[in-house]
């Protein structure tokens, strides 16, 4: 319970940003980590990264914004499957479901995220902010 309040506050803050949010994922995204990842506009993942919503494995329903974001990203049936079965997804499955945008070799992940951030920062930032909020 003490952990959920700041995580839910982070979701609210991310939702209010007028700038694109980039998530860089390497290793595993599970539970609240996956829920936070779902709030990003762009998700780049290192090869070998695993994804699991995990709440059902603890006998809990999902939170930290996942119940809102997941069906909007992957569709209702896929969201229910991810949430209710608690299976681990690999990068190929995550990309097919649109959970992530790109899969990169671990050694290239940092540079790719930096390049994306620079590209967005050099673009029409007001328009990007408006687009994100829409």
């Amino acid at each position: 319970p003490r952990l959920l309040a700041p995580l839910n506050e982070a979701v609210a803050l991310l939702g209010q940003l007028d700038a694109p949010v980039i998530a860089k994922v390497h290793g595993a995204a599970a539970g609240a980590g996956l829920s936070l990842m779902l709030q990003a506009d762009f998700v780049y993942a290192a090869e070998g990264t695993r994804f699991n919503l995990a709440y059902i494995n603890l006998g809990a329903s999902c939170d930290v914004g996942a119940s809102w974001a997941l069906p909007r990203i992957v569709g209702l049936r896929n969201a229910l499957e991810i949430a209710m079965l608690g299976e681990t997804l690999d990068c190929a499955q995550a990309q097919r479901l649109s959970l992530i945008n790109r899969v990169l070799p671990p050694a290239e992940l940092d540079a790719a995220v930096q390049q994306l951030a620079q590209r967005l920062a050099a673009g029409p930032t007001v328009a990007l902010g408006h687009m994100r909020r829409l």
Side-chain angles (χ1 to χ4, degrees):
R2 289 188 310 200
L3 181 60
L4 290 180
L7 288 171
N8 287 324
E9 186 177 326
V11 169
L13 289 171
L14 285 171
Q16 296 171 11
L17 290 177
D18 283 330
V21 175
I22 304 168
K24 176 176 64 173
V25 187
H26 188 183
L34 180 58
S35 295
L36 286 174
M37 183 195 89
L38 295 172
Q39 307 307 314
D41 304 301
F42 298 91
V43 181
Y44 283 16
E47 293 171 343
T49 300
R50 311 296 275 174
F51 305 85
N52 191 312
L53 197 56
Y55 294 102
I56 199 68
N57 299 329
L58 302 172
S61 62
C62 59
D63 56 16
V64 190
S67 62
W68 183 88
L70 188 62
R72 284 166 175 76
I73 294 170
V74 304
L76 180 59
R77 292 192 191 281
N78 287 323
L80 290 171
E81 184 174 19
I82 291 166
M84 292 183 173
L85 298 182
E87 296 174 350
T88 299
L89 306 173
D90 62 22
C91 282
Q93 292 167 307
Q95 191 169 29
R96 181 182 54 78
L97 291 166
S98 298
L99 287 171
I100 60 177
N101 297 92
R102 298 213 178 147
V103 180
L104 299 133
E108 297 175 19
L109 184 62
D110 287 342
V113 169
Q114 184 66 30
Q115 182 180 17
L116 174 61
Q118 289 173 340
R119 178 178 177 180
L120 292 168
T125 56
V126 172
L128 291 172
H130 287 296
M131 191 176 301
R132 180 174 198 278
R133 295 298 303 255
L134 289 172

